[in-house]
Amino acid sequence: MRATDVAALHDSVLTWYAAHRRDLPWRAPHRTPWGVLVSEVMLQQTPVVRVLPVWERWMDAWPTPADLAAEPSGTAVREWGRLGYPRRALRLHAAATAIRDLHGGEVPSDEETLRTLPGIGDYTAAAVAAFAFGRRATVVDTNVRRVHARALTGTALPAPSLTRAEVALATSLLPQDDAEAATWSVAVMELGALVCTARAPRCGECPVAGRCAWLRAGSPAHDGPARRGQAWAGTDRQCRGTLLQVLREVDGPVPGETLRAAWPGRGAARDASHELQRDRCLDALVAEGLVEPLAGDRYRLPGT
DNA sequence: TAGCCGTGGCA
DNA sequence: TTGCCAAGGCT
């Protein structure tokens, strides 16, 4: 893109963002780097509306990494509630412990160090560096990828997995100034979340519609390989979720009998293969540290 | 690297 | 109703 086109793109999106941005608590002026980090982990594959109440509770209970690290890991898993992917809670607890023990209790500000923390990958490291510390970092999430795919590449959806070319494109669009770069990143993400949505984009409200390559091409349908749906009914994921839900909702240790009765439910679905699946999933949860086995065939969330 | 890892709302 | 999707990370 020509420099003048990039500048016009910046102006359009930043002006739109200033007028339409949501006042999310992790964007408030008094936010802390820890609050930003917690929000970014919770937001991984999880909608904002579901994160909001859990984030508020977590920040009230554990305003610093050391506060969370002082708890048993199972407490983090319990307070994670139904956000999904509960291993994130475990990793967040481990990250808090590492921050306390290895980084003087302060969230690191550079991407490289952030990436060493459990549960912090390329996206989250860049997001924390940018949004918590105002660093110039290339933030590429699913929203950014979709906006770039449409507005610049002209396709309905990005490729299944992130490519080097996409990262290079995002970097090429990043303003030189640190603070402006961070605002640009969150603005593009917000545009993707509110206007340039996956299923029914609101092109009539889009500040970039006039220069959108996808619109100009006639909004062609996605022509790549169909996206693989994630199976659910009867899968290990459902089984693990069911077992963990029992442990979350009960205070203290649960008899193995109670746990086993939760899967696969009642009636004809109960057979030997389901029991094998159930036992395999429980073993895996224990191996991953999400469940702690106790003497006398009892189980609990670790340390609780 | 492709597959796995939760959960719930919406078109 | 059901498949798709939501601020990914890990192996």
Side-chain angles (χ1 to χ4, degrees):
Chain A
M1 286 180 77
R2 296 182 311 179
T4 52
D5 292 333
V6 173
L9 184 64
H10 286 169
D11 281 348
S12 302
V13 174
L14 291 171
T15 300
W16 173 87
Y17 178 69
H20 299 279
R21 66 189 295 267
R22 291 169 290 180
D23 277 323
L24 302 173
W26 45 85
R27 291 178 183 165
H30 61 273
R31 73 188 183 283
T32 63
W34 170 239
V36 172
L37 191 158
V38 171
S39 78
E40 290 299 341
V41 173
M42 288 184 171
L43 287 163
Q44 291 168 3
Q45 304 284 285
T46 308
V48 166
V49 287
R50 207 175 307 163
V51 166
L52 281 168
V54 182
W55 184 87
E56 297 281 7
R57 271 191 277 120
W58 271 54
M59 298 315 293
D60 283 345
W62 308 306
T64 72
D67 294 322
L68 178 60
E71 300 278 359
S73 61
T75 300
V77 174
R78 188 185 304 279
E79 295 308 312
W80 192 254
R82 303 185 67 84
L83 283 184
Y85 294 140
R87 290 190 293 195
R88 291 184 292 166
L90 220 47
R91 292 178 183 141
L92 201 40
H93 181 270
T97 304
I99 291 169
R100 179 194 63 188
D101 295 342
L102 305 176
H103 303 288
E106 302 293 330
V107 175
S109 60
D110 66 286
E111 288 183 77
E112 187 180 348
T113 309
L114 283 162
R115 266 193 298 269
T116 68
L117 299 173
I120 309 297
D122 288 344
Y123 162 75
T124 305
V128 172
F131 306 148
F133 297 102
R135 297 280 190 101
R136 186 174 184 274
T138 303
V139 183
V140 186
D141 77 328
T142 186
N143 290 303
V144 172
R145 296 186 66 212
R146 190 174 54 251
V147 171
H148 288 176
R150 289 188 182 145
L152 304 171
T153 311
T155 58
L157 294 172
S161 54
L162 181 65
T163 65
R164 293 174 180 276
E166 288 180 79
V167 177
L169 175 60
T171 301
S172 75
L173 294 174
L174 206 58
Q176 286 304 312
D177 176 75
D178 285 87
E180 191 181 343
T183 303
W184 164 251
S185 293
V186 74
V188 176
M189 288 172 63
E190 193 79 334
L191 185 64
L194 299 182
V195 174
C196 193
T197 56
R199 267 178 286 190
R202 301 166 172 82
C203 301
E205 306 169 22
C206 183
V208 186
R211 68 181 90 252
C212 176
W214 182 60
L215 265 186
R216 197 158 31 209
S219 306
H222 178 60
D223 66 344
R227 296 168 121 60
R228 297 184 81 90
Q230 299 178 335
W232 176 246
T235 60
D236 284 5
R237 307 170 86 172
Q238 185 186 26
C239 182
R240 292 163 56 102
T242 300
L243 295 175
L244 224 39
Q245 185 179 354
V246 171
L247 292 170
R248 271 199 312 264
E249 293 175 349
V250 174
D251 219 24
V254 171
E257 185 184 359
T258 303
L259 209 48
R260 286 187 288 273
W263 182 265
R266 306 184 190 82
R270 183 188 298 277
D271 61 24
S273 71
H274 280 75
E275 294 179 1
L276 284 175
Q277 180 187 35
R278 177 198 63 202
D279 294 346
R280 170 164 46 81
C281 287
L282 182 53
D283 287 348
L285 289 171
V286 169
E288 292 167 25
L290 281 163
V291 173
E292 179 184 9
L294 301 173
D297 188 35
R298 294 178 306 148
Y299 297 87
R300 67 177 183 180
L301 297 179
T304 66

